[in-house]
Amino acid sequence: MIKLERTSVMNLENAMRGARNPMNSWARSDSYYDEHGNYILGPNDLSLARRLRLAGSDHRKFIRQIMVSVDITAPIYWWKEFDTYKVATVANSTSTMHKIHSKPIELEDFSHDHLTPDALEIMSAYINEIEKIRLRYMENGKNKEDWYNLIEMLPESYNQMRTVTLNYETLVNQYFSRRNHKLTEWHEYCRWIESLPYASEIIIAEDTPAEADS
């Protein structure tokens, strides 16, 4: 299970202006804001953005300046893989250490959409036992033994929400590294990447149209 919510894409205008700095070609920029406040890349700017993207990481530095913020809720086993991407990522997470005891621990707190019926029954019983420990922890003065039991018995399928900030360069690396991964969470994540503004031209860089004068 994975949820991606409250997506914001920022700094596209400044990134494109910077892309034109090496050739002092600002006068050729043809992008604009529409009536909804969205920054729309004109044919010249989009052509330049695509060509720089395809020219390699040394030439596409401008995409590192296109920032994305998103709230992601996903199981800990997925976050462990996401955490391999340390460059240009920042994340503030909900705290397991401090807040695991603050609400009832229920099956819906965990990813279980791929469990077989037998495995789901075992998982449900296990979570019920963890909830008993949580109740004991709350009733008996929050002793440290029960707190450690909660932390160390928590399955990796526990869902955690993080507010993540990253950039289009990181998304390029994630997309091509993970789009064929066996975890369905990565497939959904890659579909989210595909939905971002100008993802097909700047991140995925496929289906090249006729180029305009840049």
Side-chain angles (χ1 to χ4, degrees):
M1 189 285 292
I2 188 171
K3 290 194 299 184
L4 299 110
E5 305 171 290
R6 294 173 284 278
T7 299
S8 296
V9 177
M10 301 159 283
N11 207 45
L12 183 56
E13 178 182 10
N14 293 326
M16 283 307 307
R17 185 176 66 253
R20 289 193 172 278
N21 286 350
M23 299 301 292
N24 295 357
S25 62
W26 311 289
R28 297 182 179 180
S29 179
D30 56 353
S31 300
Y32 59 93
Y33 284 95
D34 68 13
E35 65 274 15
H36 303 294
N38 302 309
Y39 193 67
I40 306 300
L41 295 184
N44 290 350
D45 283 342
L46 190 58
S47 171
L48 176 62
R50 178 191 293 278
R51 286 188 287 108
L52 291 175
R53 160 67 179 88
L54 292 172
S57 59
D58 288 347
H59 299 277
R60 67 182 187 226
K61 293 189 293 291
F62 81 99
I63 73 171
R64 303 173 200 169
Q65 297 179 306
I66 304 174
M67 309 303 297
V68 182
S69 179
V70 60
D71 284 354
I72 305 176
T73 303
I76 291 172
Y77 63 75
W78 183 83
W79 282 118
K80 288 171 65 176
E81 295 199 351
F82 181 90
D83 285 341
T84 63
Y85 299 94
K86 294 295 187 184
V87 178
T89 64
V90 180
N92 280 321
S93 65
T94 53
S95 175
T96 302
M97 294 293 180
H98 296 295
K99 303 299 290 185
I100 187 62
H101 63 276
S102 64
K103 63 172 289 296
I105 298 173
E106 304 169 315
L107 181 63
E108 295 310 310
D109 295 327
F110 301 83
S111 290
H112 58 275
D113 43 323
H114 297 290
L115 290 182
T116 63
D118 288 347
L120 183 60
E121 183 177 349
I122 295 169
M123 181 73 167
S124 298
Y126 183 75
I127 291 171
N128 287 338
E129 293 303 313
I130 297 177
E131 172 60 11
K132 291 178 184 178
I133 294 171
R134 186 194 73 87
L135 290 173
R136 189 173 67 215
Y137 172 77
M138 298 297 292
E139 293 167 358
N140 294 342
K142 298 183 178 180
N143 69 79
K144 201 163 187 177
E145 287 184 355
D146 284 331
W147 181 81
Y148 266 113
N149 285 338
L150 288 174
I151 295 301
E152 294 186 352
M153 292 178 66
L154 195 67
E156 288 195 349
S157 57
Y158 182 73
N159 292 323
Q160 183 183 62
M161 194 272 280
R162 301 183 189 181
T163 298
V164 176
T165 302
L166 65 172
N167 63 42
Y168 268 35
E169 178 70 35
T170 303
L171 292 174
V172 170
N173 294 332
Q174 290 177 330
Y175 185 83
F176 288 100
S177 295
R178 301 290 176 166
R179 61 179 174 171
N180 296 317
H181 197 278
K182 65 175 65 175
L183 287 178
T184 59
E185 286 87 354
W186 279 116
H187 290 263
E188 294 181 44
Y189 185 83
C190 287
R191 284 195 291 272
W192 167 77
I193 292 175
E194 292 168 355
S195 74
L196 297 175
Y198 303 104
S200 61
E201 296 89 353
I202 301 177
I203 298 175
I204 304 167
E206 294 176 347
D207 301 323
T208 305
E211 298 291 351
D213 178 19
S214 62

